[in-house]
mmCIF file of all heavy atoms in Angstrom:
data_model
loop_
_atom_site.group_PDB
_atom_site.id
_atom_site.type_symbol
_atom_site.label_atom_id
_atom_site.label_comp_id
_atom_site.label_asym_id
_atom_site.label_seq_id
_atom_site.Cartn_x
_atom_site.Cartn_y
_atom_site.Cartn_z
ATOM 1 N N ILE A 118 32.901 29.223 -22.230
ATOM 2 C CA ILE A 118 34.211 28.694 -22.573
ATOM 3 C C ILE A 118 34.026 27.420 -23.401
ATOM 4 O O ILE A 118 33.314 26.501 -22.987
ATOM 5 C CB ILE A 118 35.029 28.397 -21.300
ATOM 6 C CG1 ILE A 118 35.271 29.673 -20.503
ATOM 7 C CG2 ILE A 118 36.347 27.719 -21.655
ATOM 8 C CD1 ILE A 118 36.060 30.735 -21.239
ATOM 9 N N GLY A 119 34.661 27.399 -24.578
ATOM 10 C CA GLY A 119 34.489 26.266 -25.476
ATOM 11 C C GLY A 119 33.569 26.575 -26.632
ATOM 12 O O GLY A 119 33.375 25.737 -27.520
ATOM 13 N N SER A 120 32.988 27.786 -26.644
ATOM 14 C CA SER A 120 32.125 28.185 -27.750
ATOM 15 C C SER A 120 32.975 28.687 -28.911
ATOM 16 O O SER A 120 34.167 28.973 -28.770
ATOM 17 C CB SER A 120 31.162 29.285 -27.302
ATOM 18 O OG SER A 120 31.876 30.476 -27.003
ATOM 19 N N ASP A 121 32.350 28.831 -30.068
ATOM 20 C CA ASP A 121 33.069 29.308 -31.244
ATOM 21 C C ASP A 121 33.508 30.755 -31.110
ATOM 22 O O ASP A 121 34.442 31.188 -31.792
ATOM 23 C CB ASP A 121 32.200 29.147 -32.499
ATOM 24 C CG ASP A 121 32.037 27.696 -32.923
ATOM 25 O OD1 ASP A 121 32.911 26.871 -32.575
ATOM 26 O OD2 ASP A 121 31.030 27.379 -33.589
ATOM 27 N N THR A 122 32.833 31.514 -30.249
ATOM 28 C CA THR A 122 33.170 32.932 -30.074
ATOM 29 C C THR A 122 33.812 33.192 -28.708
ATOM 30 O O THR A 122 33.725 34.305 -28.189
ATOM 31 C CB THR A 122 31.914 33.804 -30.228
ATOM 32 O OG1 THR A 122 30.950 33.416 -29.231
ATOM 33 C CG2 THR A 122 31.297 33.649 -31.607
ATOM 34 N N GLU A 123 34.470 32.185 -28.164
ATOM 35 C CA GLU A 123 35.092 32.328 -26.844
ATOM 36 C C GLU A 123 36.018 33.541 -26.785
ATOM 37 O O GLU A 123 36.017 34.299 -25.806
ATOM 38 C CB GLU A 123 35.872 31.064 -26.503
ATOM 39 C CG GLU A 123 36.654 31.153 -25.200
ATOM 40 C CD GLU A 123 37.594 29.976 -24.992
ATOM 41 O OE1 GLU A 123 37.099 28.826 -24.902
ATOM 42 O OE2 GLU A 123 38.817 30.207 -24.925
ATOM 43 N N ALA A 124 36.825 33.753 -27.798
ATOM 44 C CA ALA A 124 37.814 34.840 -27.766
ATOM 45 C C ALA A 124 37.138 36.192 -27.602
ATOM 46 O O ALA A 124 37.564 37.032 -26.790
ATOM 47 C CB ALA A 124 38.663 34.813 -29.033
ATOM 48 N N ALA A 125 36.058 36.420 -28.359
ATOM 49 C CA ALA A 125 35.362 37.701 -28.261
ATOM 50 C C ALA A 125 34.708 37.865 -26.893
ATOM 51 O O ALA A 125 34.701 38.969 -26.321
ATOM 52 C CB ALA A 125 34.309 37.804 -29.367
ATOM 53 N N GLN A 126 34.177 36.786 -26.344
ATOM 54 C CA GLN A 126 33.539 36.861 -25.035
ATOM 55 C C GLN A 126 34.562 37.145 -23.940
ATOM 56 O O GLN A 126 34.279 37.889 -22.995
ATOM 57 C CB GLN A 126 32.772 35.566 -24.756
ATOM 58 C CG GLN A 126 31.585 35.364 -25.679
ATOM 59 C CD GLN A 126 30.845 34.068 -25.413
ATOM 60 O OE1 GLN A 126 30.466 33.778 -24.286
ATOM 61 N NE2 GLN A 126 30.627 33.273 -26.460
ATOM 62 N N LEU A 127 35.746 36.556 -24.048
ATOM 63 C CA LEU A 127 36.802 36.847 -23.080
ATOM 64 C C LEU A 127 37.234 38.306 -23.180
ATOM 65 O O LEU A 127 37.481 38.970 -22.155
ATOM 66 C CB LEU A 127 37.995 35.926 -23.300
ATOM 67 C CG LEU A 127 37.797 34.465 -22.914
ATOM 68 C CD1 LEU A 127 39.022 33.636 -23.318
ATOM 69 C CD2 LEU A 127 37.542 34.315 -21.416
ATOM 70 N N ALA A 128 37.327 38.812 -24.389
ATOM 71 C CA ALA A 128 37.683 40.218 -24.565
ATOM 72 C C ALA A 128 36.630 41.124 -23.934
ATOM 73 O O ALA A 128 36.956 42.128 -23.286
ATOM 74 C CB ALA A 128 37.842 40.535 -26.054
ATOM 75 N N ASP A 129 35.348 40.770 -24.111
ATOM 76 C CA ASP A 129 34.279 41.554 -23.496
ATOM 77 C C ASP A 129 34.373 41.525 -21.981
ATOM 78 O O ASP A 129 34.162 42.554 -21.313
ATOM 79 C CB ASP A 129 32.921 41.011 -23.933
ATOM 80 C CG ASP A 129 32.584 41.339 -25.381
ATOM 81 O OD1 ASP A 129 33.226 42.245 -25.951
ATOM 82 O OD2 ASP A 129 31.673 40.693 -25.936
ATOM 83 N N LEU A 130 34.678 40.361 -21.419
ATOM 84 C CA LEU A 130 34.825 40.271 -19.963
ATOM 85 C C LEU A 130 35.946 41.178 -19.477
ATOM 86 O O LEU A 130 35.798 41.893 -18.474
ATOM 87 C CB LEU A 130 35.106 38.822 -19.552
ATOM 88 C CG LEU A 130 35.337 38.575 -18.064
ATOM 89 C CD1 LEU A 130 34.121 38.974 -17.235
ATOM 90 C CD2 LEU A 130 35.680 37.100 -17.819
ATOM 91 N N GLY A 131 37.063 41.183 -20.192
ATOM 92 C CA GLY A 131 38.169 42.059 -19.812
ATOM 93 C C GLY A 131 37.800 43.529 -19.901
ATOM 94 O O GLY A 131 38.182 44.330 -19.035
#
Side-chain angles (χ1 to χ4, degrees):
I118 298 299
S120 67
D121 289 336
T122 60
E123 175 189 298
Q126 293 179 52
L127 289 174
D129 287 343
L130 178 61

